[in-house]
Amino acid sequence: MRDVAVIGVGLTQFGELWEKSFRELIAEAGAKAILDSGISGKEVDAMYVGSMSSGRFIGQEHIGALVADASGFSFAHVPSTRVEGACASGGLAVRQGYLAVASGMHDVVVVGGIEKMNDVGGTSATETLATAADQEWEAFFGATFPGIYAMIATRHMHDYGTTREQMAQVAVKNHMNGVLNPYAQYRKEISLDAVLNATMVAYPLGLLDCSPVSDGAASIVLCAAEKAKKYTNKAVKIIAAGQASDTLALHARENICTLQATVHAAKMAYKQANLTPKDIDLAEVHDCFTIAEICAIEDLGFVKKGEGGKAIDNRITTRDGSLPVNTSGGLKAKGHPVGATGVAQVIEIALQLRGDAEKRQVPDARIGLAHNVGGSGATCTVHILEAM
Amino acid sequence: MGEAVARFWREIPQRYNFMGNKCGSCERIFFPPREACPFCRRKSMGKMQEVQLTGKGEVVTYTIIHVGPEEFEEQVPYPIAIIKLEEGPQITGQIVDCSIDDIHIGLKVESTFRRIQAEGYTGAIYYGYKFKKCE
Amino acid sequence: MEEVGIVSYGANIPRYRIKTEEIASVWGKDGRSISEGLGISEKSVPSVDQDTATISVEAARAALKRCAINPKDIGAIYIGSESHPYAVKPTGTIVGEAIGATPDLMVADFEFACKAGTAAIQTCMGLVLSGMIRYGLAIGADTSQAAPGDALEYSAAAGGAAFIIGKDQIVARINHTCSFTTDTPDFWRRAERKYPSHGGRFTGAPAYFKHITSCAANMMNHMGTKPDDYDYAVFHQPNGKFPIAVAQKLGFSFEQIKQGLIVSFIGNTYSGASPIGLSSVLDVAKPGDRIFVTSYGSGAGSDSFDLTVTDAIKDLKRKNAPSIAQMVADKEYISYGVYAKITDLLYWE
């Protein structure tokens, strides 16, 4: 195994992108990443792309080939592979790219993530997202995807005294960060009252506890760390790539409030990097719902189980706190084009470690973590990056 | 959508009658039934036995769905809960015939036979379990 | 001849109720006078997840909870209803599977307006007496349809009851049954139509009254009985007035029909009406009680039954399932708007 570096990053705007097609979005993100990296197109050895449900969102499968074609790599006949793990599809693509380079199989790999969610109606988008849950034993009976996270929230409130206000503060914080991110879907602050009084979606989660339906794409270029200097002086190293799975259905888990896939993916990553949670300077975590960020900071080991709510009260995770979380605005404010999310999280960490995060820059950031979850926690990836 | 019926039909024993199974090696009970026990794995192979569960249990957690899928739109707001069955397995189901204010963690429930979904006005009707408060 | 009778019984009534006055207010009518005229103060309404299949399953399960019968010993299931969820595909198979009686049994769905449930009892009696089956399950259940604004809208309700018919452990012996049948189009629903049509006042004298009185008189003739010989009487109850009037005509007192007169509280449950009335009587019946039942189904016909409650009723675990009185009391009122939504009045394409 050899070290792997992120040498280029590219993002599209996240949001309701009515004028842009799936192909345009992925080509734009890929081109930006390649230009940022300094490689020439000829040097691309392989491509991996994460997409949760292009089949339902745009009626198109065979996304590996489509992405290679749309990005101009079809005549180079570059191997291109789509990976899927619901909302963790992007994180999985990053990890597949990482493994391909680390193994020595390929020197330069382009990783992409994309979702074009607004080409179907809102109801249809929500139902497609619910396919990340267990269709036969959860969704069939009327459980929606927000409903499943809401059940985690209800139990978290019961077991640990977590409050709706604490959850709402997650949304408030992430919107404050989103204001500073030029690619974010929502660049405006929201008040605590607005979150608490928003239309109820699935008690105890209101509309502003939920991440939005978004279009967007993200791409990174990976290469063997020893060769990174050849292309750029802005490389950051991926020092760990953890992944774990859990039961598809939330109900099958012994503890409803602990995402064991996060716990295990994090354990794998900390071990590989030889680090502890204390060594992490900042994190991008999977806040598809506000309760998910609270569970994530607990399950990643940043705070004790049950103290995620208090950590929000104590402002530990704000941009000027001891562990800034979701400086990008998170899924909540930056937007959540599901397949793109895992890649975009790695991009935010890379930008922060490069010192390129502009107004939302965390001073002296050396080590960052990206946490991407599929479904209600059946798939999880944890990547740790270090400045070079 | 008539072609989707087989997928439902196959699960009638579970949806109508809580047919689960038990690992002959560690005695753990599963619902829905599993091909092999995830704890004993090869030791359980060929030793999984059918067991009918009572459909009684208690609420582990719940939510009130205010924005529902199309097939459930007429029922909002409706409660969905994770129920821990007497025999051990946990399942997801709707709670009916009670006021939303009565629902709480620890509520004792039993199953009731209801229509779960229908494929529009022309497709098949799918029945199965929901839960109601125990008297 | 060998004895045959009811071995166990169970019923199901949905919880939603709508008041007669609530419906009347929507159509600009005087609710109080309609309520008094019909003798119905409110009616049961199925929720969106309830239909004849779910009511039948719950009623059958209630019957099984009260006795120790192995469902595999049930050799036939006949469900009478005019609101089977499918026009083609039986309700009985759903019930058979849900109670664990499949696959070695006979199943068919019955339709004879409001008397299909009692016709199912008669069919099961014949199969049991012939020795073709050990137990038969007869169910009468409906989620009755009524066109918005029609007079039927005040009464068309939902509910049903199930009876296990057999030869051993009989709790109510069926001493005799007979029917009276003619071709009388007083009420009907054409194939592929959503709501039924009816002959207005023609549904009274030449239909309901003629068939019930003729059938009941034939029964008492056959048995050599008179109204005083019965402790309870149950007549089909499309509204609160007809059964009282027909009882009077035949010489039964209000006291005799009171226990089985449920229509005032839940409306007309069509195929479920006489079966629910009989269930209500069985809820309180003591050994030796004699029960007279006459159903009525438009189109038209009546089925009469003469029953005697046996000592075995003391062993029947009646408390294992809710009584009719408990189900009548367990209710939640809804507005006409909610009623329109859940009974599919707002259907559009």
Side-chain angles (χ1 to χ4, degrees):
Chain A
M1 293 280 278
R2 54 182 179 168
D3 286 345
V4 178
V6 178
I7 58 168
V9 302
L11 270 176
T12 68
Q13 180 68 43
F14 281 12
E16 291 180 353
L17 309 177
W18 304 111
E19 296 84 3
K20 299 254 173 118
S21 72
F22 184 98
R23 287 168 205 238
E24 288 171 303
L25 287 170
I26 194 66
E28 177 187 330
K32 280 179 174 171
I34 288 171
L35 291 174
D36 184 52
S37 71
I39 62 163
S40 78
K42 288 197 299 268
E43 290 169 287
V44 175
D45 293 322
M47 301 172 74
Y48 291 91
V49 59
S51 167
M52 173 186 169
S53 198
S54 55
R56 288 180 65 125
F57 285 126
I58 60 163
Q60 177 74 60
E61 305 292 13
H62 210 169
I63 292 306
L66 179 142
V67 167
D69 191 0
S71 334
F73 287 94
S74 50
F75 297 105
H77 307 292
V78 167
S80 178
T81 309
R82 177 226 184 138
V83 288
E84 189 273 312
C87 317
S89 299
L92 291 185
V94 172
R95 191 160 181 272
Q96 291 306 306
Y98 167 85
L99 292 173
V101 175
S103 68
M105 184 68 162
H106 298 302
D107 283 338
V108 176
V109 166
V110 179
V111 173
I114 176 160
E115 218 72 54
K116 176 72 191 166
M117 300 169 73
N118 283 297
D119 277 1
V120 293
T123 316
S124 184
T126 312
E127 281 171 22
T128 298
L129 288 174
T131 62
D134 189 324
Q135 282 300 294
E136 284 165 87
W137 304 103
E138 290 180 317
F140 175 79
F141 294 98
T144 58
F145 198 56
I148 290 169
Y149 270 93
M151 290 198 284
I152 297 177
T154 305
R155 187 72 205 196
H156 208 280
M157 291 164 81
H158 175 267
D159 287 356
Y160 306 117
T162 304
T163 62
R164 281 201 66 214
E165 286 74 12
Q166 288 169 335
M167 293 191 271
Q169 288 291 6
V170 172
V172 172
K173 168 186 71 82
N174 290 349
H175 271 257
M176 282 171 68
N177 291 341
V179 170
L180 304 179
N181 183 349
Y183 294 98
Q185 181 161 1
Y186 296 117
R187 299 193 64 192
K188 63 169 190 195
E189 294 192 11
I190 52 173
S191 68
L192 183 66
D193 277 353
V195 184
L196 290 173
N197 296 322
T199 306
M200 197 52 82
V201 171
Y203 171 86
L205 303 178
L207 187 63
L208 296 180
D209 285 291
C210 308
S211 55
V213 167
S214 318
D215 304 327
S219 180
I220 57 176
V221 179
L222 301 179
C223 97
E226 74 233 23
K227 296 183 183 169
K229 283 265 161 8
K230 196 172 116 191
Y231 303 109
T232 178
N233 54 10
K234 292 194 292 187
V236 297
K237 220 193 306 184
I238 297 181
I239 55 172
Q243 184 189 334
S245 48
D246 200 351
T247 61
L248 191 57
L250 175 66
H251 60 229
R253 302 179 199 155
E254 207 165 317
N255 185 336
I256 299 297
C257 302
T258 300
L259 274 64
Q260 286 293 345
T262 295
V263 172
H264 286 266
K267 207 193 249 178
M268 189 190 282
Y270 290 137
K271 191 179 166 198
Q272 187 189 350
N274 197 21
L275 294 174
T276 70
K278 286 195 186 67
D279 300 318
I280 306 297
D281 295 326
L282 84 165
E284 286 287 302
V285 310
H286 198 89
D287 61 325
C288 49
F289 300 96
T290 51
I291 183 64
E293 179 167 319
I294 290 175
C295 289
I297 60 174
E298 296 168 352
D299 298 337
L300 290 166
F302 298 139
V303 297
K304 276 199 208 129
K305 190 74 216 173
E307 292 184 358
K310 270 185 226 137
I312 306 299
D313 287 341
N314 296 337
R315 304 181 57 80
I316 288 169
T317 54
T318 54
R319 224 168 44 252
D320 54 0
S322 57
L323 177 80
V325 169
N326 286 334
T327 53
S328 68
L331 285 54
K332 176 68 200 79
K334 181 184 55 191
H336 184 28
V338 285
T341 285
V343 182
Q345 290 175 319
V346 168
I347 291 176
E348 175 67 8
I349 297 296
L351 290 173
Q352 289 280 1
L353 301 184
R354 275 158 55 160
D356 285 344
E358 299 172 344
K359 287 182 185 159
R360 55 187 198 285
Q361 181 65 47
V362 173
D364 306 323
R366 294 284 308 158
I367 296 173
L369 178 149
H371 162 256
N372 190 198
V373 173
S376 60
T379 299
C380 178
T381 61
V382 172
H383 288 95
I384 303 176
L385 283 76
E386 187 178 18
M388 270 172 94
Chain B
M1 290 279 282
E3 66 273 21
V5 293
R7 187 177 183 193
F8 171 80
W9 165 80
R10 216 173 284 131
E11 287 163 352
I12 281 179
Q14 285 75 47
R15 301 228 204 274
Y16 287 15
N17 285 320
F18 290 98
M19 207 53 87
N21 67 358
K22 185 165 96 171
C23 170
S25 174
C26 72
E27 310 262 292
R28 273 192 188 85
I29 292 178
F30 301 100
F31 184 89
R34 284 179 176 271
E35 286 306 299
C37 170
F39 301 95
C40 303
R41 292 196 282 265
R42 76 177 59 191
K43 271 191 288 177
S44 69
M45 286 167 91
K47 286 194 203 155
M48 302 301 289
Q49 307 147 7
E50 265 203 342
V51 252
Q52 184 170 2
L53 314 185
T54 57
K56 287 185 182 167
E58 68 172 67
V59 172
V60 173
T61 185
Y62 68 93
T63 176
I64 311 299
I65 306 283
H66 290 261
V67 180
E70 206 177 341
E71 299 86 356
F72 293 84
E73 249 172 11
E74 287 182 342
Q75 298 175 58
V76 296
Y78 60 88
I80 288 278
I82 291 178
I83 314 290
K84 186 173 179 63
L85 298 173
E86 282 178 348
E87 297 87 352
Q90 295 188 153
I91 61 173
T92 299
Q94 193 175 335
I95 299 181
V96 292
D97 286 1
C98 86
S99 152
I100 280 171
D101 298 333
D102 288 350
I103 294 167
H104 57 88
I105 289 172
L107 180 75
K108 298 258 191 280
V109 294
E110 60 187 348
S111 75
T112 175
F113 189 83
R114 296 296 173 101
R115 188 195 268 239
I116 309 293
Q117 296 193 19
E119 289 187 31
Y121 280 89
T122 56
I125 303 167
Y126 300 137
Y127 296 91
Y129 53 77
K130 291 191 180 184
F131 293 88
K132 59 180 183 183
K133 268 196 301 184
C134 270
E135 301 291 322
Chain C
M1 196 156 95
E2 275 185 290
E3 289 191 341
V4 64
I6 295 166
V7 177
S8 186
Y9 72 99
N12 185 253
I13 301 168
R15 272 179 91 242
Y16 285 147
R17 301 284 185 278
I18 187 165
K19 291 192 167 160
T20 305
E21 293 186 13
E22 169 73 8
I23 300 171
S25 71
V26 171
W27 301 107
K29 308 272 186 194
D30 176 3
R32 185 167 302 176
S33 74
I34 289 175
S35 180
E36 278 167 13
L38 286 173
I40 294 174
S41 54
E42 58 200 49
K43 68 167 190 172
S44 63
V45 181
S47 60
V48 287
D49 59 3
Q50 291 175 305
D51 60 23
T52 292
T54 68
I55 289 168
S56 298
V57 168
E58 289 289 306
R61 284 181 174 170
L64 284 164
K65 271 187 200 167
R66 286 177 164 144
C67 63
I69 285 174
N70 178 351
K72 296 280 178 214
D73 289 332
I74 292 172
I77 298 177
Y78 297 109
I79 300 174
S81 179
E82 53 179 86
S83 54
H84 290 291
Y86 292 92
V88 177
K89 199 231 155 278
T91 308
T93 53
I94 299 168
V95 176
E97 202 76 59
I99 64 168
T102 49
D104 299 321
L105 82 165
M106 299 180 250
V107 166
D109 287 353
F110 283 9
E111 185 281 310
F112 192 148
C114 297
K115 83 161 190 75
T118 54
I121 295 177
Q122 292 176 324
T123 309
C124 286
M125 287 172 66
L127 291 167
V128 166
L129 280 172
S130 71
M132 283 176 72
I133 61 172
R134 183 158 176 208
Y135 299 110
L137 177 62
I139 299 174
D142 257 309
T143 51
S144 326
Q145 308 292 315
D150 189 273
L152 289 175
E153 195 175 27
Y154 298 100
S155 60
F163 301 95
I164 298 173
I165 306 297
K167 280 196 272 203
D168 45 58
Q169 290 297 302
I170 292 170
V171 301
R173 187 175 63 239
I174 301 173
N175 303 312
H176 187 56
T177 182
C178 63
S179 297
F180 184 90
T181 310
T182 71
D183 190 26
T184 307
D186 60 322
F187 168 105
W188 61 87
R189 178 163 63 82
R190 290 271 298 276
E192 292 166 20
R193 291 287 116 182
K194 191 168 174 184
Y195 300 116
S197 308
H198 53 85
R201 293 186 59 78
F202 181 66
T203 58
Y208 178 89
F209 289 99
K210 177 186 161 189
H211 290 79
I212 289 192
T213 53
S214 306
C215 193
N218 287 350
M219 171 60 90
M220 286 186 278
N221 264 340
H222 293 158
M223 299 305 286
T225 50
K226 51 191 189 315
D228 282 354
D229 295 329
Y230 298 93
D231 298 281
Y232 298 100
V234 177
F235 297 103
H236 176 54
Q237 33 206 279
N239 54 52
K241 290 294 168 73
F242 278 23
I244 296 173
V246 87
Q248 239 169 15
K249 222 172 240 206
L250 284 161
F252 288 89
S253 71
F254 182 72
E255 281 311 304
Q256 283 168 295
I257 64 165
K258 195 176 153 196
Q259 180 65 28
L261 197 61
I262 307 301
V263 62
S264 312
F265 317 109
I266 62 166
N268 180 9
T269 52
Y270 286 44
S271 304
S274 301
I276 286 174
L278 175 57
S279 299
S280 175
V281 170
L282 292 173
D283 280 343
V284 300
K286 296 179 301 295
D289 282 346
R290 198 148 175 194
I291 307 167
F292 189 88
V293 178
T294 303
S295 63
Y296 172 72
S298 288
S302 277
D303 302 326
S304 270
F305 299 85
D306 176 316
L307 303 102
T308 303
V309 178
T310 72
D311 284 341
I313 194 120
K314 288 189 286 187
D315 302 326
L316 191 71
K317 295 186 176 60
R318 283 188 276 193
K319 289 220 165 71
N320 281 6
S323 67
I324 297 296
Q326 284 171 318
M327 287 186 279
V328 165
D330 180 19
K331 59 187 173 185
E332 183 182 337
Y333 288 109
I334 56 172
S335 65
Y336 191 88
V338 171
Y339 169 81
K341 178 179 80 170
I342 66 180
T343 58
D344 206 26
L345 301 186
L346 305 174
Y347 171 67
W348 59 278
E349 226 165 5

